[in-house]
């Protein structure tokens, strides 16, 4: 199985898709080879400055703990634990998180062993080799191994509260579907989807895969930000949270961390959208559902 990189510099870096292609061999994707970390770091672009958020060791320690904690469980179980802690450890702005090269470097330069452990498919019955999909290393934000967790935490957190993130990331179908939605940036929409999960209104992959496109399609005619307005976001809270990275302790392992002290999503907006989404779900075609 692919191992932890032998060479880990002090700071995070950027790695382009073109640079990554030279290291995404069949052996790495199949978990048979290690990434040549010294060669990779010769071509990676180190991030300048002494920002505490760029400390590679803090991120790698977190990933080591995730591997230790979930090694004996199904790899999917790690998502709900790692997502809020990765978000709190990195403390990125959305503009910074949109830098694809950072996630590519995390996957190949910092934790290829985690990506292989988390995303390598189960062995085939005929014994043929299986591979991690390339987009788990270099894909879009809703597919790439670490970007998807960071964005899930960013979009599903309720101010400083990461509990909705745990709910969303605890359901693979919601995690995989919701990040593709155009409307998921609307905080009341994200919280209303979590509310339906908590109530048990939607449970199975078929149900979630019927609900999410219905929610997205309805947004074309019903503007959610008008019928369920959010509060104005406070940029100072995020800036203060980022500034506190230099003195922050490592993200807690046995309890949830706290995000930026932004105002929570208005309850009336969540309640109203959740009721509307229940109506959409009642009419959505769910494969295998028996109509009454």
């Amino acid at each position: 199985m692919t191992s932890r990189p032998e060479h880990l510099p002090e700071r995070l870096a950027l790695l382009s898709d073109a640079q990554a292609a030279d290291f995404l061999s069949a052996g790495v994707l199949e978990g048979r080879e290690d990434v040549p970390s010294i060669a990779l770091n010769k071509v990676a672009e180190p991030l300048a400055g002494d920002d505490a958020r760029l400390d590679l060791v803090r991120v790698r320690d977190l990933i080591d703990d995730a591997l230790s904690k979930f090694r004996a469980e199904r790899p999917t179980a790690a998502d709900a634990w790692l997502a809020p802690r990765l978000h709190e450890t990195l403390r990125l702005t959305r503009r910074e998180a949109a830098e694809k090269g950072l996630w590519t470097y995390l996957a190949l330069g910092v934790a290829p062993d985690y990506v292989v452990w988390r995303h390598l498919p189960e062995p085939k019955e005929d014994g043929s080799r299986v591979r991690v999909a390339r987009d788990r290393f270099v894909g879009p934000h809703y597919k790439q191994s670490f970007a998807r967790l960071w964005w899930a935490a960013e979009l599903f957190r309720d101010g400083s509260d990461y509990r909705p993130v745990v709910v969303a990331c605890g359901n693979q179908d919601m995690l995989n579907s919701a990040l593709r939605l155009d409307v998921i940036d609307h905080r009341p929409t994200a919280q209303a989807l979590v509310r339906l999960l908590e109530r048990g209104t939607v449970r199975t992959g078929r149900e979630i895969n019927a609900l999410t496109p219905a929610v997205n399609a309805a947004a074309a005619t019903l503007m959610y930000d008008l019928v369920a307005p959010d509060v104005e976001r406070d940029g100072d809270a995020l800036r203060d949270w980022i500034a506190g990275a230099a003195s922050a302790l490592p993200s807690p392992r046995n309890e949830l961390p706290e995000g930026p002290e932004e105002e929570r999503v208005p309850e009336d907006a969540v309640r109203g959208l959740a009721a509307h989404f229940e109506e959409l779900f009642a009419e959505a075609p769910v494969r295998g559902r028996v109509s009454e």
Side-chain angles (χ1 to χ4, degrees), residues 40-52:
L40 182 145
N41 279 285
K42 286 181 178 179
V43 300
E45 178 187 348
L47 290 168
D50 58 357
D51 192 330

Side-chain angles (χ1 to χ4, degrees), residues 47-283:
L47 290 168
D50 58 357
D51 192 330
R53 297 177 300 153
L54 307 181
D55 184 354
L56 185 150
V57 173
R58 288 170 68 95
V59 181
R60 182 63 226 196
D61 285 349
L62 176 65
I63 292 168
D64 283 338
D65 286 347
L67 284 167
S68 176
K69 185 177 181 67
F70 294 97
R71 181 76 75 179
E73 300 185 35
R74 290 180 62 85
T76 52
D79 288 350
W81 186 89
L82 184 55
R85 292 168 176 85
L86 181 68
H87 186 273
E88 193 267 346
T89 296
L90 291 173
R91 302 197 182 200
L92 303 173
T93 66
R94 290 191 177 188
R95 177 174 294 183
E96 290 169 333
E99 174 52 76
K100 193 169 183 285
L102 173 65
W103 303 115
T104 302
Y105 181 77
L106 267 177
L108 266 172
V110 179
D113 52 326
Y114 182 89
V115 179
V116 171
W117 170 79
R118 170 61 184 83
H119 294 290
L120 189 67
E122 293 291 329
K124 295 182 178 179
E125 292 184 2
D126 62 6
S128 59
R129 288 173 174 164
V130 292
R131 291 185 177 185
V132 175
R134 290 175 63 90
D135 55 17
R136 298 302 186 182
F137 286 95
V138 296
H141 75 280
Y142 54 83
K143 294 288 286 185
Q144 204 272 352
S145 186
F146 296 113
R148 68 196 282 268
L149 297 180
W150 189 93
W151 281 104
E154 172 67 10
L155 295 169
F156 282 106
R157 66 182 174 86
D158 189 2
S160 64
D161 186 3
Y162 285 116
R163 285 176 296 179
V165 178
V166 175
V167 175
C169 292
N171 186 300
Q172 289 296 303
D173 294 291
M174 180 61 75
L175 177 57
N176 293 333
S177 299
L179 293 186
R180 300 170 184 262
L181 298 181
D182 294 335
V183 296
I184 199 63
D185 188 44
H186 181 236
R187 295 200 308 161
T189 294
Q191 296 306 313
L193 289 173
V194 169
R195 188 69 55 86
L196 296 192
L197 278 177
E198 290 176 320
R199 290 177 182 171
T201 303
V202 291
R203 297 185 180 88
T204 68
R206 290 180 179 181
E207 291 173 344
I208 291 169
N209 291 331
L211 171 66
T212 51
V215 167
N216 211 44
T221 54
L222 183 65
M223 299 183 68
Y224 295 152
D225 56 344
L226 294 181
V227 300
D230 195 0
V231 295
E232 186 174 346
R233 305 291 291 275
D234 180 7
D236 288 341
L238 179 61
R239 285 188 287 271
D240 290 345
W241 186 65
I242 290 173
S247 59
L249 296 172
S251 193
R253 302 321 198 228
N254 296 320
E255 57 188 30
L256 282 176
E258 293 186 359
E261 289 294 332
E262 296 175 332
E263 192 169 344
R264 296 174 68 93
V265 179
E267 174 59 25
D268 288 348
V270 178
R271 188 185 304 113
L273 274 188
H276 177 61
F277 292 169
E278 282 196 60
E279 295 175 1
L280 292 178
F281 176 64
E283 300 297 326

